[in-house]
Amino acid sequence: MSNSIAQSNNQIHVGWESPSNIALVKYWGKYGRQLPRNASVSFTLNTAASRTFVGLDGNNVSSQIEIDFTFEGKQNDTFTTRIEKFLSSIADEYFPFLREYKLKIDSSNSFPHSSGIASSASGMSALALCLCDIEYQLGSIQERDDAFFQKASLIARLGSGSASRSVYGTMAVWGQHPNVLASSDEYAVDIAANVHPVFRTFRNDILIISAKEKSVSSTAGHHLMEGNPFASARYTQANDRLSSLLVALANGDLATFGKITEDEALTLHALMMCSDPSYILMEEGSLSVINKIKAFRKQTNIPVYFTLDAGPNVHVLYPSEFEAQVSPFIHSELKPYCHEGKIIKDSVGPGPKKIL
Ligand code: DP6
């Protein structure tokens, strides 16, 4: 490469904002190189997001990946090591430029670090989009088209499975499933066009029951599924539930949506409780809030439901048209169970945005 081209490439600097997502049918169990044991589907969120900037920062003369990584403007050794390892694992196959240039990366989250919200889905999808964008700017690919997002989803998946779904707005399915056209274990697909309008503006208020770091990571949880005696029944169940949920999503069938979503959240936590060693990530507050949501629904007939990710925090899901009734309920009945009264009001969103 001539020096002048190398120098102009060093001006390349890109930025993407990418949201978190909340799974309705959960990915829980993986094998091989980040491949899911069952297909999963999620709502893409709007407010909870990561903003990542990546710039080429001079030529890399060593054969090792070299990055200067900052999180919210500050050096962070744990993240640096994790990202260097990740980039080394994908460089030769997917992004040869990573061995030619040093990289400057800065990332930040819209949600507070101590909120207990996992940032791997938003962070890894934002990073994957930046890497694909650099490849585009370097001229190796021609357009930011479907293939661009498909590659971003695949790269995000290699970083963290659930991140594959954050590349698309509204809703995405990751994992091969007979009822989802073009679905794949390698990357997620956009299913927004097959979703009834009621779900496109769904509310998702995140009740922060605890801001503590989880005692068992999701990655360790996935591995524990390998010895779980219910594993194979679980994978069949997840794929069956996804079939039924897809019909409910298309028809705007809130009751079926709610039943499957809640059953999935409880199954996820039940699987943790019957792993060996067993563990519990729900807290007393999580259970109290779940019972209050069920009682409120029974009393008012308002379609408000819950889900949980692999932690104690509870996501409250309801159609936007019921916000005026649900908000006061959350405020008076559920907020007292939240750590420092913390609630992140979020909703289904349009997906990642290019910010530089
Ligand atoms: C419970 O995607 O965080 O949120 O692939 O090991 O990074 P790794 O795991 P991760 O697992 C997410 C698990 C979940 C369910 C889901 O998002 O589908």
Side-chain angles (χ1 to χ4, degrees), residues 21 23 25-28 30 34 40 82 120 159-163 165 218-219 222 268 309-310:
N21 68 70
V25 170
K26 310 289 185 183
Y27 145 56
W28 200 241
K30 64 176 170 181
Q34 288 281 97
S40 57
R82 184 170 173 198
S120 67
S160 177
S162 55
R165 299 184 308 243
S218 286
T219 303
H222 289 293
L268 170 71
D309 58 14

Side-chain angles (χ1 to χ4, degrees), residues 193-267:
N194 305 322
V195 170
H196 187 278
V198 71
F199 294 114
R200 296 199 193 134
T201 57
F202 233 65
R203 301 292 165 199
N204 177 82
D205 294 341
I206 312 170
L207 308 176
I208 308 301
I209 304 294
S210 165
K212 277 190 275 180
E213 188 145 341
K214 291 187 281 201
S215 54
V216 180
S217 72
S218 286
T219 303
H222 289 293
H223 290 309
L224 283 173
M225 279 302 283
E226 292 308 300
N228 191 306
F230 301 108
S232 82
R234 158 61 193 162
Y235 304 139
T236 307
Q237 175 191 59
N239 286 324
D240 290 348
R241 281 180 174 164
L242 182 54
S243 302
S244 310
L245 182 59
L246 289 168
V247 178
L249 289 169
N251 295 340
D253 174 353
L254 290 167
T256 305
F257 160 87
K259 170 153 176 45
I260 296 174
T261 298
E262 292 190 347
D263 287 350
E264 271 293 294
L266 296 177
T267 302

Side-chain angles (χ1 to χ4, degrees), residues 6-295:
Q7 258 156 28
S8 65
N9 285 344
N10 277 325
Q11 323 263 311
I12 291 175
H13 203 200
V14 302
W16 282 79
E17 180 178 303
S18 189
S20 185
N21 68 70
I22 180 71
L24 304 173
V25 170
K26 310 289 185 183
Y27 145 56
W28 200 241
K30 64 176 170 181
Y31 68 100
R33 193 170 175 198
Q34 288 281 97
L35 296 166
R37 289 286 188 191
N38 62 265
S40 57
V41 66
S42 54
F43 275 145
T44 305
L45 299 183
N46 194 28
T47 310
S50 297
R51 291 165 69 87
T52 300
F53 295 91
V54 180
L56 298 185
D57 193 26
N59 296 344
N60 182 358
V61 284
S62 79
S63 58
Q64 301 298 313
I65 302 293
E66 278 196 55
I67 64 168
D68 169 5
F69 178 80
T70 48
F71 181 71
E72 290 170 353
K74 293 191 202 86
Q75 306 285 335
N76 181 312
D77 290 346
T78 317
F79 287 166
T80 304
T81 312
R82 184 170 173 198
I83 292 171
E84 269 176 353
K85 211 171 138 204
F86 171 56
L87 296 179
S88 306
S89 74
I90 58 173
D92 296 330
E93 198 171 344
Y94 298 106
F95 298 116
F97 73 82
L98 290 172
R99 302 224 181 262
E100 286 172 39
Y101 298 94
K102 294 184 201 159
L103 248 51
K104 193 169 172 55
I105 309 176
D106 182 65
S107 196
S108 59
N109 294 334
S110 65
F111 42 92
H113 192 50
S114 60
S115 64
I117 297 194
S119 59
S120 67
S122 53
M124 280 300 172
S125 56
L127 178 62
L129 285 157
C130 287
L131 296 173
C132 290
D133 206 3
I134 290 184
E135 192 176 43
Y136 166 74
Q137 311 262 342
L138 286 169
S140 334
I141 53 167
Q142 297 312 311
E143 277 182 81
R144 287 197 203 90
D145 56 6
D146 290 355
F148 173 94
F149 287 98
Q150 193 176 89
K151 178 163 179 180
S153 177
L154 182 150
I155 298 298
R157 172 202 118 227
L158 293 173
S160 177
S162 55
S164 63
R165 299 184 308 243
S166 276
V167 165
Y168 298 108
T170 311
M171 295 201 81
V173 166
W174 170 42
Q176 214 277 318
H177 190 278
N179 301 4
V180 183
L181 202 68
S183 57
S184 168
D185 286 351
E186 301 276 336
Y187 44 80
V189 292
D190 182 350
I191 60 153
N194 305 322
V195 170
H196 187 278
V198 71
F199 294 114
R200 296 199 193 134
T201 57
F202 233 65
R203 301 292 165 199
N204 177 82
D205 294 341
I206 312 170
L207 308 176
I208 308 301
I209 304 294
S210 165
K212 277 190 275 180
E213 188 145 341
K214 291 187 281 201
S215 54
V216 180
S217 72
S218 286
T219 303
H222 289 293
H223 290 309
L224 283 173
M225 279 302 283
E226 292 308 300
N228 191 306
F230 301 108
S232 82
R234 158 61 193 162
Y235 304 139
T236 307
Q237 175 191 59
N239 286 324
D240 290 348
R241 281 180 174 164
L242 182 54
S243 302
S244 310
L245 182 59
L246 289 168
V247 178
L249 289 169
N251 295 340
D253 174 353
L254 290 167
T256 305
F257 160 87
K259 170 153 176 45
I260 296 174
T261 298
E262 292 190 347
D263 287 350
E264 271 293 294
L266 296 177
T267 302
L268 170 71
H269 284 262
L271 288 165
M272 297 174 195
M273 290 182 210
C274 63
S275 291
D276 186 7
S278 84
Y279 62 106
I280 303 177
L281 294 185
M282 274 200 261
E283 298 204 356
E284 280 119 75
S286 322
L287 281 175
S288 303
V289 156
I290 287 172
N291 286 327
K292 293 243 172 201
I293 293 170
K294 285 184 167 188

